[in-house]
Amino acid sequence: MNYIEIGQRIRKYRKQQNLSQEELAEKIGISTTHMSHIETGSTKLSLPVLVDLAKNLNVKTDWLLFDESYLDNTEAVKLLEQVISLLK
């Protein structure tokens, strides 16, 4: 896992919600310092924190863990599988 990229995605969604690090940290019950470390990728985040972040940012956990190109490819594969099953 690339924690730097995860942190960058968290920062992107936080800014889209017009939240400061302090506000988001308070919502999920962690320190501002810990929030900063998550966004810079200098610390690993726990599963409960990841889930709380996703809930408070109104995004899926997948969106935080994976980049958009990965998600786009995953959706394309699912669509192709559906089409193939219909053709059988």
Side-chain angles (χ1 to χ4, degrees):
M1 284 210 172
N2 188 327
Y3 289 98
I4 293 171
E5 290 178 1
I6 293 169
Q8 289 171 347
R9 286 189 285 276
I10 291 168
R11 175 177 285 137
K12 176 182 83 171
Y13 290 117
R14 175 181 59 78
K15 288 186 174 193
Q16 285 178 357
Q17 297 285 327
N18 294 314
L19 292 169
S20 67
Q21 283 185 342
E22 294 83 5
E23 291 168 326
L24 184 55
E26 185 177 318
K27 285 180 175 229
I28 65 170
I30 63 173
S31 71
T32 303
T33 301
H34 188 59
M35 186 73 242
S36 174
H37 288 170
I38 290 170
E39 287 191 1
T40 59
S42 60
T43 190
K44 295 178 181 179
L45 65 161
S46 67
L47 183 57
V49 169
L50 175 69
V51 170
D52 286 345
L53 283 167
K55 283 181 184 177
N56 282 279
L57 295 172
N58 300 310
V59 298
K60 295 180 179 184
T61 53
D62 286 358
W63 297 2
L64 300 178
L65 294 173
F66 305 105
D67 68 12
E68 292 172 12
S69 64
Y70 173 85
L71 296 174
D72 289 345
N73 290 336
T74 302
E75 293 302 316
V77 169
K78 286 179 187 177
L79 264 170
L80 286 172
E81 288 172 345
Q82 289 174 350
V83 169
I84 291 168
S85 69
L86 290 172
L87 294 173
K88 288 182 178 180

